[in-house]
Amino acid sequence: MKKEKSPDKLDRIVADARRASGEREQGYRARALRLYPWICGRCAREFDRDNLQELTVHHRDHDHDNNPEDGSNWELLCVYCHDNEHSRLIDAVYGDMAPAEQEKAATFNPFADLASRLKDKK
Ligand SMILES: [Zn+2]
Ligand SMILES: [Zn+2]
């Protein structure tokens, strides 16, 4: 019997989570593109099949897990306007934080502690 090593298992969990979020993104993007005209909601740039990859789905409440069937949480934005939208959010969220806190938020790794706890287990 092969013994399972914790770090491999952890890698697989992380990889699974990444893949799941990729699939989920494909799902809601396809649905949003069926629901809405292919136009950026900010700069009104129009898209067709040739440049559709530059049209992205923005979540109005910034919660990527909130994907109601009627599309009410989605907005189609070109990559530039989408970037803009999120840098404004970052300003709003981190603007009042002390620099040390900003750093903590940026480097926070939910698995760091888990990995050391798995290692300590005998
Ligand atoms: Zn735009
Ligand atoms: Zn967004």
Side-chain angles (χ1 to χ4, degrees), residues 56-60 62 64 75 77 82-83 85-86:
T56 59
V57 179
H58 171 62
H59 289 77
R60 290 175 190 273
H62 294 271
H64 287 213
E75 190 173 20
L77 297 180
H82 201 168
D83 255 17
E85 193 64 26
H86 283 264

Side-chain angles (χ1 to χ4, degrees), residues 2-3 5 12-13 21 23 28 30-31 41 47 57 66 73 75-77 79 86 90 93 98-99 105 110 115 122:
K2 234 175 78 187
K3 245 177 127 186
K5 271 185 279 163
R12 205 164 54 233
I13 292 167
S21 88
E23 280 166 12
Y28 67 63
R31 264 152 59 207
F47 291 81
V57 179
N66 183 12
N73 193 35
E75 190 173 20
L76 294 179
L77 297 180
V79 286
H86 283 264
I90 288 163
V93 171
K122 292 204 174 98

Side-chain angles (χ1 to χ4, degrees), residues 83-99:
D83 255 17
N84 252 327
E85 193 64 26
H86 283 264
S87 43
R88 262 199 284 153
L89 177 79
I90 288 163
D91 284 350
V93 171
Y94 295 114
D96 294 334
M97 267 192 195

Side-chain angles (χ1 to χ4, degrees), residues 30-45:
R31 264 152 59 207
L33 290 174
R34 247 177 284 141
L35 221 64
Y36 292 112
W38 295 354
I39 296 170
C40 173
R42 291 288 181 280
C43 67
R45 188 175 151 201

Side-chain angles (χ1 to χ4, degrees), residues 7 13 19 30 33 58 68-69 71 86 102 107-108 111-112 118 120:
I13 292 167
R19 195 174 52 234
L33 290 174
H58 171 62
E69 284 297 324
H86 283 264
Q102 283 186 32
T107 57
F108 175 69
F111 293 115
L118 285 170
D120 286 346

